[in-house]
Amino acid sequence: MIVFKNYFNIVKRHLGIIILFSMISIGISIINTSYTNTESYESEMPKISIINYDDSALTNNFINYITKKSKIVEVEDNEKAIQDALYLNKVDAILIIPVNFGIDLLNKNEPNLKIKKSTQNISEYTELLVNRYFKIAENYSNIGMTEREIINKIEKDIQNEIEVKVLNENQSDIEKLALYYSFENYAFLSIFIFIIGTIMCIFNNENIRKRNNISMLNPKSFSNQLFLGHMTLTLSIWIIYILISIILYKDIMFTINGLLLIINSLCFAISSTCLAYMIGCLIKNENVISGVQNVISLGLSFISGCFVPIELLDPNIVSFAKIFSSYWFIQGNYDIVKLSTFNFKTIQPIIQNFGIILIFGIVYFSIGKIIVSKKY
């Protein structure tokens, strides 16, 4: 069992990375599942100062519009006071409206409204508010409307607001558990691709393989011990995540839902290990593994519903995500927590989902084997 022993000597050298990845992933999972949901949404209003040199009806209507959308702050009309207010973040933006601004706008003379912004991000929102108003005004002016007609039209248009709904207002513990398990997608991919990929690069090093070829070690034994090492590492990390979920959600984990989540997680852990094995067979340079690990773990987490709820993603992205096991794992978690009746008919789709995830693993592993046979 010399290969198996050396396998875990390599793991020990990277134990710090494994612990770091695990702590970060588990920490974020716990934070994600323990936050307090808000029941309403209220947009933040920017602090704006207006210095007005115009007295047209259109300008006055614009000022009323800005006043309703922001917190008006008085600032003296001199350069030093303006700079101090912006530097000290007393205001997010200062609007300077020149003389005859309203008339110039109506006559299409490209009026020069000055916007001085602070370094705060919300200052960009001020520019959006201004552009929204005057883009509407410009469109109506281009079709020949009078000032009063434009004002009446704008007042109707700006009453249309986007309704913001807060998702998952009353998130139950079992939904939080699904979120915890879904975050394993990022954790498992990060850890397994980095560690298994690195180990595969080491064992597939040309010098090491030549030594193995002239040694008494049977190639089949070498392959079996390497596979045993992969599975031992996988199950060890998987068990840690399961134990933490039991500690956090003891009541739910000892239910059929909890059991199905555990099985789904095991299937994905095996599939992730096979993916990591395939990547390790493809890549020879250890230094490349870290970059590949970040791209794959983050990329699949974003498109499969780990970081962003699947209902908020573009349908084309969701369709693309279906060619990876991550999508089926995460969707499986949410399908499992929705189960309230347990019989063959309701559980059959979940079992089929397990099979799909494992099939992905078989495909990844087979591709890895083909790559190895072609290389060596």
Side-chain angles (χ1 to χ4, degrees):
M1 298 291 284
I2 188 170
V3 175
F4 184 79
K5 182 179 178 181
N6 287 331
Y7 185 103
F8 282 94
N9 285 334
I10 299 171
V11 170
K12 285 179 183 178
R13 294 206 303 265
H14 295 89
L15 194 60
I17 296 292
I18 296 175
I19 294 172
L20 179 63
F21 275 137
S22 298
M23 288 179 63
I24 292 173
S25 301
I26 293 170
I28 295 175
S29 299
I30 293 172
I31 291 170
N32 282 343
T33 57
S34 61
Y35 71 91
T36 302
N37 293 291
T38 57
E39 295 185 357
S40 62
Y41 169 84
E42 184 176 348
S43 62
E44 187 176 356
M45 300 177 71
K47 294 176 290 185
I48 298 176
S49 178
I50 300 175
I51 299 175
N52 182 25
Y53 294 109
D54 189 36
D55 192 29
S56 66
L58 186 61
T59 299
N60 291 333
N61 184 259
F62 166 69
I63 292 173
N64 290 334
Y65 160 75
I66 290 294
T67 301
K68 293 176 182 177
K69 301 290 183 180
S70 63
K71 299 174 184 176
I72 300 299
V73 178
E74 295 294 331
V75 173
E76 291 184 27
D77 185 8
N78 63 75
E79 192 62 28
K80 185 178 183 306
I82 291 172
Q83 290 179 355
D84 287 345
L86 292 170
Y87 179 76
L88 297 173
N89 291 322
K90 291 181 179 178
V91 294
D92 298 309
I94 296 177
L95 307 181
I96 302 176
I97 303 174
V99 177
N100 296 326
F101 177 80
I103 294 174
D104 289 340
L105 181 67
L106 292 171
N107 293 331
K108 306 171 189 176
N109 292 331
E110 297 186 1
N112 186 23
L113 172 70
K114 294 182 180 178
I115 305 177
K116 296 192 175 184
K117 298 181 291 186
S118 71
T119 56
Q120 300 297 309
N121 290 334
I122 196 171
S123 63
E124 301 296 332
Y125 180 56
T126 304
E127 193 166 14
L128 290 175
L129 288 174
V130 172
N131 289 340
R132 180 192 179 195
Y133 184 93
F134 287 115
K135 187 66 178 175
I136 296 172
E138 184 181 2
N139 289 338
Y140 287 131
S141 176
N142 289 338
I143 61 175
M145 286 189 177
T146 64
E147 184 178 41
R148 178 46 54 189
E149 288 174 334
I150 292 173
I151 291 172
N152 292 337
K153 284 287 186 181
I154 290 175
E155 287 182 345
K156 289 181 181 179
D157 290 343
I158 61 178
Q159 288 176 359
N160 299 323
E161 297 290 343
I162 297 174
E163 183 182 0
V164 178
K165 293 183 179 180
V166 179
L167 297 177
N168 298 326
E169 291 181 6
N170 301 306
Q171 198 174 46
S172 64
D173 284 343
I174 197 166
E175 289 173 328
K176 291 180 180 180
L177 182 60
L179 185 62
Y180 171 89
Y181 269 88
S182 295
F183 202 82
E184 286 182 359
N185 179 77
Y186 171 71
F188 285 175
L189 290 174
S190 294
I191 296 171
F192 296 155
I193 291 174
F194 181 81
I195 301 302
I196 293 175
T198 300
I199 291 171
M200 289 295 296
C201 284
I202 293 171
F203 278 107
N204 287 331
N205 181 275
E206 187 175 355
N207 292 328
I208 293 177
R209 292 198 68 87
K210 286 180 179 179
R211 290 178 185 177
N212 289 331
N213 289 337
I214 62 174
S215 70
M216 297 179 63
L217 183 64
N218 187 298
K220 186 175 181 181
S221 176
F222 173 85
S223 180
N224 289 339
Q225 289 183 51
L226 196 59
F227 178 76
L228 181 61
H230 293 333
M231 294 312 300
T232 303
L233 175 67
T234 297
L235 292 175
S236 299
I237 294 172
W238 173 74
I239 287 171
I240 292 172
Y241 275 83
I242 298 303
L243 290 175
I244 292 173
S245 70
I246 292 173
I247 293 170
L248 293 174
Y249 302 98
K250 180 174 62 176
D251 295 337
I252 302 173
M253 290 307 300
F254 292 102
T255 63
I256 297 178
N257 298 90
L259 176 62
L260 292 173
L261 285 171
I262 290 173
I263 297 173
N264 194 43
S265 175
L266 177 60
C267 292
F268 182 70
I270 295 171
S271 180
S272 299
T273 299
C274 294
L275 175 62
Y277 171 79
M278 183 186 75
I279 292 169
C281 294
L282 280 168
I283 298 172
K284 292 184 177 180
N285 191 337
E286 290 180 52
N287 298 323
V288 178
I289 291 292
S290 179
V292 173
Q293 166 241 322
N294 283 326
V295 171
I296 293 178
S297 60
L298 289 172
L300 292 184
S301 295
F302 273 111
I303 69 172
S304 301
C306 176
F307 293 157
V308 180
I310 202 79
E311 60 266 22
L312 300 181
L313 295 174
D314 184 89
N316 294 324
I317 294 176
V318 175
S319 297
F320 177 70
K322 290 180 181 180
I323 65 174
F324 301 100
S325 57
S326 293
Y327 169 85
W328 301 98
F329 166 62
I330 294 170
Q331 283 303 110
N333 288 331
Y334 288 104
D335 290 340
I336 289 168
V337 300
K338 292 175 184 176
L339 285 178
S340 56
T341 303
F342 302 96
N343 53 52
F344 180 76
K345 185 177 180 180
T346 57
I347 296 180
Q348 185 182 18
I350 305 299
I351 296 174
Q352 290 175 348
N353 202 69
F354 296 161
I356 292 171
I357 296 171
L358 290 175
I359 288 171
F360 274 104
I362 293 170
V363 172
Y364 297 146
F365 185 77
S366 300
I367 293 172
K369 280 291 186 183
I370 294 170
I371 293 168
V372 171
S373 66
K374 295 292 183 182
K375 278 186 175 181
Y376 309 106

